[in-house]
Amino acid sequence: MRSFAYASGPAYGLLLDEAGPRAQGWRARALTGADLGTLLQDALRLGTPKPSPERDTRYGGAALRETERERARLAQARAEALRKKLVEGPVLHLPLVRMRIQFNPGELIPLAEYGTVYPGARIVDAWGSLTVTSDVLLSSDWKTATVNAPRAGPRDARWEGEGWVLELAPGWRANAGPRPGDLILQAPEARSPTPHP
């Protein structure tokens, strides 16, 4: 779903550019959220096809609708489980300072206003590196990464949780968050300057 627009967007743009005067200003309307398909439909004066039982039977409409309903149900259940795990449950928040990330763009799961869940990623930042084989939530403003809280404290500079491993840079530590069980990774305290004699 995430990569769909990379192919369809340019194709719609080309068709709208070729659609003539009725498509003028389509870019400005698209930037305000107008649907590209609707813009093209209006520009070409295309009507909406009427329902056809024959066409519905020929293309397996009933089975297709059931498949889409099941897909939506599974997606909603997955999103709900991720919300409970990475929003409502105890979590570890990692600030994103100068992040570099590797991930599979075909597996992302949007989680409404909370951001996007990456089921598997490697993040490198000022605090060290986070390797996730399960789920990490990146806030929509790209300022925080969130994983489920670890069950135990770190061993040396290595911290392991369910589906993730964090290798901490020197001086970084986790402090208690605003809710019981939450942790927030924080930078080393700035050293006070050495007084000159």
Side-chain angles (χ1 to χ4, degrees):
M1 291 298 288
R2 184 181 175 91
S3 59
F4 172 75
Y6 293 112
S8 64
Y12 272 116
L14 178 63
L15 292 170
L16 283 160
D17 281 343
E18 298 292 324
R22 288 183 54 86
Q24 281 187 334
W26 72 265
R27 286 179 176 81
R29 286 180 280 164
L31 288 173
T32 61
D35 180 83
L36 292 175
T38 303
L39 291 173
L40 184 60
Q41 182 181 17
D42 293 344
L44 298 177
R45 297 180 178 164
L46 298 174
T48 303
K50 293 181 180 174
S52 162
E54 295 82 17
R55 189 168 49 238
D56 190 71
T57 301
R58 185 183 321 139
Y59 293 106
L64 182 59
R65 282 189 294 277
E66 183 54 38
T67 299
E68 285 300 303
R69 277 194 290 269
E70 179 63 9
R71 186 189 65 78
R73 186 190 67 75
L74 291 173
Q76 184 175 5
R78 173 80 169 128
E80 180 64 17
L82 288 169
R83 187 179 60 78
K84 286 181 179 176
K85 175 182 176 182
L86 297 171
V87 176
E88 294 178 0
V91 294
L92 169 64
H93 296 288
L94 300 96
L96 300 177
V97 183
R98 50 179 189 268
M99 175 192 63
R100 293 180 314 231
I101 184 170
Q102 296 172 329
F103 63 94
N104 181 347
E107 298 181 351
L108 308 186
I109 302 164
L111 211 56
E113 71 272 18
Y114 303 110
T116 302
V117 175
Y118 292 66
R122 177 168 165 76
I123 301 173
V124 177
D125 208 309
W127 35 257
S129 67
L130 175 70
T131 303
V132 180
T133 56
S134 180
D135 305 301
V136 58
L137 173 65
L138 266 65
S139 60
S140 41
D141 61 5
W142 285 70
K143 291 186 177 179
T144 308
T146 303
V147 291
N148 56 304
R151 293 195 179 101
R155 290 178 299 185
D156 299 322
R158 183 182 174 91
W159 208 335
E160 293 187 33
E162 182 187 335
W164 59 265
V165 174
L166 174 63
E167 302 279 352
L168 280 174
W172 284 81
R173 67 190 186 288
N175 289 335
R179 303 177 310 172
D182 282 2
L183 296 168
I184 300 175
L185 201 61
Q186 294 190 324
E189 292 179 355
R191 294 181 182 175
S192 54
T194 306
H196 293 289

